[in-house]
Amino acid sequence: AERHEGTKTQTDMLIQRFAKLFFGCLAAVTSGMMYAVYLSTYHERKFWFSSRQELEREITFQGDSAIYYSFYKELLKAPSFERGVYELTHNNKTVSLKTINAVQQMTLYPELIASVLYQASGSEEVIEPVYFYIGIVFGLQGIYVTALFVTSWVMSGTWLAGMLTVAWFIINRTDTTRIDYSIPSRENWALPYFACQVAALTGYLKKSLNCSAEKFCYLLVSASTYTFMMMWEYSHYLLFVQAVSLFLLDSFALAQTEKVYEVYKIYLFSLFLGYLLQFENSALLVSPLLSLVAALMLSKCLQMNTKKGTFISRLLKIMHIYLVLTITVTLNFLLKVFVPHKENEHLLKFIEVKLGLNTTKNFTMNWLLCQESLQAPSQDFFLRLTQSSLLPFYILVLIICLFSVTQVIFRRICGEPLKETVKLEDGRIGERPEIVYHVIHTILLGCLAMCLEGMKYLWTPYVCMLAAFGVCSPELWMTLFKWLRLKAVHPILLALILSMAVPTIIGFSLWKEFFPRIMTELSELQEFYDPDTVELMTWIKRQAPVAAVFAGSPQLMGVIKLCTGWMVSSLPLYNDDDLIKRNENIYQIYSKRSAEDIYKILTSYKANFLIIEDSICNEVGPVRGCRVKDLLDIANGHVVCEEGDSYAYSKYGRFCHEIKMNYSPYVNYFTRVYWNRSYFVYRINTVISFQS
């Protein structure tokens, strides 16, 4: 009878586990799908997308987004996929006088995958290319949300945490994702894979994990790490931050060393494979990630080859962190000396200027420093997070976890071993390696977000996840009660009650306050229409010669390339020295330079038409020193008494104003052929008449 009861109990437990897993997975997948549908609906309402003509739809892609989508269009038009890839890797039809490997330079692997899927699935007869493209991106955002849901579920043990994560993510959408501004941007393609990698890594670091689950997590970490690296040129920097988190986790002996080093091997494999498949991308060889992982492997060999218990062994353990950092810096320096690379030197200069270690009059550098995403976060950002109750709960959870981790580290220094299994009544949430990893990771990402507002899109999703995990975790409440030495009420019972009650109360308050706003947002038609740009693109397609080359601001050139297919003289890209120089030179059309100077610049790039934008020429920016014309005047030395320094004043008027006057010498070099309220198009004369 006892055996029968025992079997029945085991069966009941298995059924309960299966039901919990089934409903949790269903909730995770449903959340992701609903978010994808929400994004699609919002996009339709914002741009009135389905009722637009193709040209009007394409205008909604701005700047670098337009370039990415234009290459997707080109791949679909190619006679074969192989021919399309060849034309992209030997592209001489985009930028005048320049052949570029667009796949390598712009990380076009997402477009390659999208075009293959579109053609292989036979979607040509079912759905338009633009809907297929943005549909994949929205689908990936759904996977992003599902991965965050699963991460908080794995950490807390309840899928209520996943639901709260998703709610906070959607409510704080302006601070968790950039999907509203630029759908094709690399991070929108890449970050969902990183979220999957973090979810798999969270499971992999857990102590109580069976063999098959561990293998599954390991394979998922491997696949998602490599895919993430292929999708975004800056992915290895984010993986470096993760590697530092794992290094600190291992240094304090809070995780299984073997598991951590398996993840390091995944990094090495992904870097090696990425280097080969990204046309021998030297940026991966000189990346800090490779130097750090190589240093960690080397330091491990040194420790393994030293007899345990010896003085040198103990000394190496004490010096471990210093040793690894020293080897990392040395390796990185040597690699940069011996490996030919163009690894974002402008990025290092930018960091110098940003930290106040240097000053510059360089136009591009100052223009980048003026971008909102590269400024420190505004007070509004913290206010929004506080209004949705996310920031207060995140700080509470982080403080409790951080104190618990500090206690554990202190115990380890004193020689006390970690418990194999941490029970709820122990109140030691800081002994769980996956929790420690997330605490370190979120602090490192938070430090980056405090410096640059653009980094908030990496940090805020994990703020949502960590805050939701904390308030739904009985272990966290139990850890707090252990410190408070609560005796009036049974602490375990109270922890279980609070882990259900607090997220429920938060959920209801969020539903009451923010659900009506979201519904209003989806019901409003925010008609986006730009008739001047539509007219300009229509004129170019009808009137301009097929072989014409256009010059103007890089952002406008991206749209022209997408909407018309005509060649341009510059692109809105800042990862290539030649393109940066082109952008600086062509922006001179908004400076105080002579007609002859501008003519020489434009003809050096074989430009046939020049487009002046009224919005830049007559820009009235909120920050006076950040307007394009102000930055050009500083770079050219055309400013009088700027912050105590005296500069020579230019004897020429501002070119974009003077050219509109139609007097000599401007009419000798340029002939106006089209204009509307926003744009003035001039043909660059090949035969010049020097009549005054």
Side-chain angles (χ1 to χ4, degrees), residues 67 85 103 152 184 221 301 368 371 443 457 506 515 596 635 644:
I67 295 296
V85 172
V103 177
S152 56
V221 170
C301 291
L368 289 171
Q371 299 307 298
I443 289 171
Y457 301 108
I506 294 168
F515 184 72
E596 186 181 0

Side-chain angles (χ1 to χ4, degrees), residues 224-262:
S224 51
T225 301
Y226 172 67
T227 310
F228 175 57
M229 198 171 284
M230 293 295 288
M231 292 287 168
W232 193 22
E233 63 181 310
Y234 299 119
S235 57
H236 57 89
Y237 291 113
L238 189 50
L239 290 173
F240 171 72
V241 174
Q242 188 184 66
V244 171
S245 306
L246 292 172
F247 164 55
L248 293 173
L249 183 68
D250 183 46
S251 297
F252 295 121
L254 298 174
Q256 295 176 22
T257 302
E258 294 77 17
K259 283 188 175 181
V260 173
Y261 276 85
E262 283 300 319

Side-chain angles (χ1 to χ4, degrees), residues 580-597:
I580 290 173
K581 192 64 183 172
R582 280 173 179 251
N583 291 343
E584 289 176 4
N585 287 338
I586 292 169
Y587 260 131
Q588 296 298 323
I589 59 177
Y590 300 106
S591 70
K592 295 176 178 180
R593 299 275 294 270
S594 68
E596 186 181 0
D597 284 351

Side-chain angles (χ1 to χ4, degrees), residues 395-621:
I395 292 169
L396 173 68
V397 170
L398 187 63
I399 288 170
I400 295 170
C401 289
L402 202 54
F403 271 113
S404 184
V405 170
T406 308
Q407 278 186 331
V408 174
I409 292 170
F410 183 73
R411 290 193 196 107
R412 291 291 289 146
I413 292 169
C414 295
E416 185 183 322
L418 289 174
K419 287 191 174 186
E420 283 298 318
T421 52
V422 181
K423 295 178 182 176
L424 177 59
E425 56 267 23
D426 295 333
R428 290 189 180 185
I429 199 165
E431 285 197 14
R432 288 173 55 189
E434 70 274 20
I435 306 298
V436 185
Y437 157 70
H438 277 287
V439 168
I440 298 169
H441 197 197
T442 191
I443 289 171
L444 293 177
L445 289 176
C447 291
L448 291 172
M450 294 307 103
C451 299
L452 304 171
E453 186 164 350
M455 291 291 178
K456 70 182 179 182
Y457 301 108
L458 304 177
W459 179 60
T460 319
Y462 295 98
V463 170
C464 298
M465 184 273 299
L466 198 74
F469 137 75
V471 297
C472 296
S473 173
E475 277 183 85
L476 183 118
W477 294 109
M478 194 64 209
T479 304
L480 181 61
F481 298 152
K482 274 278 184 180
W483 295 339
L484 299 173
R485 295 181 180 178
L486 195 69
K487 292 179 181 177
V489 184
H490 197 286
I492 296 177
L493 180 63
L494 186 59
L496 289 167
I497 291 169
L498 283 176
S499 67
M500 292 289 288
V502 172
T504 305
I505 293 166
I506 294 168
F508 274 121
S509 64
L510 293 178
W511 178 277
K512 187 178 178 182
E513 186 175 352
F514 292 98
F515 184 72
R517 295 186 194 180
I518 291 170
M519 287 296 101
T520 305
E521 196 178 59
L522 291 180
S523 61
E524 285 181 351
L525 274 174
Q526 307 175 43
E527 186 177 350
F528 172 90
Y529 191 50
D530 186 356
D532 292 346
T533 308
V534 171
E535 287 172 14
L536 173 66
M537 299 304 154
T538 306
W539 180 86
I540 292 171
K541 290 171 84 171
R542 289 177 180 172
Q543 303 293 330
V546 176
V549 177
F550 283 84
S553 73
Q555 284 68 31
L556 180 62
M557 293 304 100
V559 180
I560 286 175
K561 173 59 186 166
L562 167 60
C563 297
T564 68
W566 263 245
M567 196 178 285
V568 293
S569 55
S570 61
L571 287 176
L573 298 175
Y574 297 92
N575 59 358
D576 180 86
D577 290 339
D578 180 58
L579 287 175
I580 290 173
K581 192 64 183 172
R582 280 173 179 251
N583 291 343
E584 289 176 4
N585 287 338
I586 292 169
Y587 260 131
Q588 296 298 323
I589 59 177
Y590 300 106
S591 70
K592 295 176 178 180
R593 299 275 294 270
S594 68
E596 186 181 0
D597 284 351
I598 302 299
Y599 181 81
K600 284 178 180 177
I601 289 170
L602 296 174
T603 52
S604 71
Y605 296 122
K606 299 295 180 186
N608 305 114
F609 290 91
L610 166 65
I611 303 176
I612 300 286
E613 293 171 69
D614 238 20
S615 59
I616 299 176
C617 192
N618 300 317
E619 186 178 4
V620 184

